[in-house]
Amino acid sequence: ADGGARFRDWLWRVARTMDSSVEFPAAVETGTLRAIAARMRAYLPHIQTVLSTQKGAVLLLSRSAFDPRQFSKPADRAEIVRRLTANASQFKILYLLVFVACLVHTILSSPWLLVGLLVVLAAWAYAFALRGSDAPLDACGIQLRRREKLVVLVPFTVLVVTVTGMVNSLLYVLCCTSLVSVPHASFHESQPIDALDPLLEGFQAMPGGEAV
């Protein structure tokens, strides 16, 4: 409850800097936050199921991805292209995890990126989550409805992304991910996905195992 109150107060101060006429009725605030919390709790079982399934898939794919016996020098350029295509499809979950890890590290290591991301998230959350997607928003004497809020928020987001250097950071993260994924996909021998079926069957036979 204290954390929710502090969060509401912070959003109120941010909104007041943009529009002095903004008012936050406590009852409406509390009800909106409770509705958001209830919606998030409703999604938790589904999220837990997805994470459990993906965890099993990651463990199974890792056994093949990091097996030293499955690495070899490609014979020619055509073999490199074939391996890149096949391994990108087969190990996309692992490559995505590498991308997410680099992205999180980059954001946390730069105060500008962290502040910019929080400002953008706060602006969109205030305009569509806390205030409601169809609820009008008064800004500088102008009433903004859903379409007008999008017209304002999209350029604002582009401005914040540009000023804080998010574009350059995203390119840096893509380069770091490529430095890991491209060599791995080039030297890892591509195998049909059916080759993982025995591992998947063994995982499903384990107690508590789920289908992937």
Side-chain angles (χ1 to χ4, degrees), residues 122-192:
W124 283 88
Y126 169 70
F128 288 95
L130 297 180
R131 298 281 296 187
S133 58
D134 297 325
L137 177 64
D138 293 327
C140 302
I142 302 176
Q143 194 174 61
L144 304 177
R145 298 190 179 276
R146 180 183 179 88
R147 182 178 178 180
E148 288 78 9
K149 287 191 287 188
L150 288 174
V151 171
V152 172
L153 283 176
V154 170
F156 173 75
T157 302
V158 173
L159 177 63
V160 174
V161 167
T162 304
V163 170
T164 57
M166 290 186 184
V167 176
N168 295 334
S169 298
L170 182 60
L171 293 177
Y172 170 76
V173 171
L174 289 174
C175 290
C176 291
T177 305
S178 300
L179 289 176
V180 176
S181 59
V182 172
H184 176 272
S186 300
F187 287 92
H188 190 280
E189 297 177 359
S190 58
Q191 296 180 351

Side-chain angles (χ1 to χ4, degrees), residues 59-79:
L59 292 177
L60 292 176
L61 289 174
S62 298
R63 294 177 59 181
S64 173
F66 301 110
D67 187 353
R69 297 170 297 180
Q70 297 187 18
F71 286 88
S72 64
K73 182 180 179 180
D76 50 23
R77 183 177 300 178
E79 177 69 13

Side-chain angles (χ1 to χ4, degrees), residues 21-101:
S21 64
V22 173
E23 297 293 340
F24 282 83
V28 175
E29 279 186 62
T30 304
T32 304
L33 290 177
R34 287 178 179 175
I36 295 175
R39 188 179 304 175
M40 294 178 63
R41 285 195 296 267
Y43 280 109
L44 280 179
H46 176 69
I47 295 175
Q48 291 175 350
T49 301
V50 172
L51 290 179
S52 176
T53 302
Q54 294 302 321
K55 179 182 177 181
V58 170
L59 292 177
L60 292 176
L61 289 174
S62 298
R63 294 177 59 181
S64 173
F66 301 110
D67 187 353
R69 297 170 297 180
Q70 297 187 18
F71 286 88
S72 64
K73 182 180 179 180
D76 50 23
R77 183 177 300 178
E79 177 69 13
I80 294 177
V81 174
R82 188 180 68 82
R83 289 186 179 185
L84 285 173
T85 304
N87 289 327
S89 175
Q90 185 169 347
F91 300 115
K92 57 185 177 183
I93 297 179
L94 298 181
Y95 298 152
L96 179 60
L97 289 177
V98 174
F99 174 82
V100 172

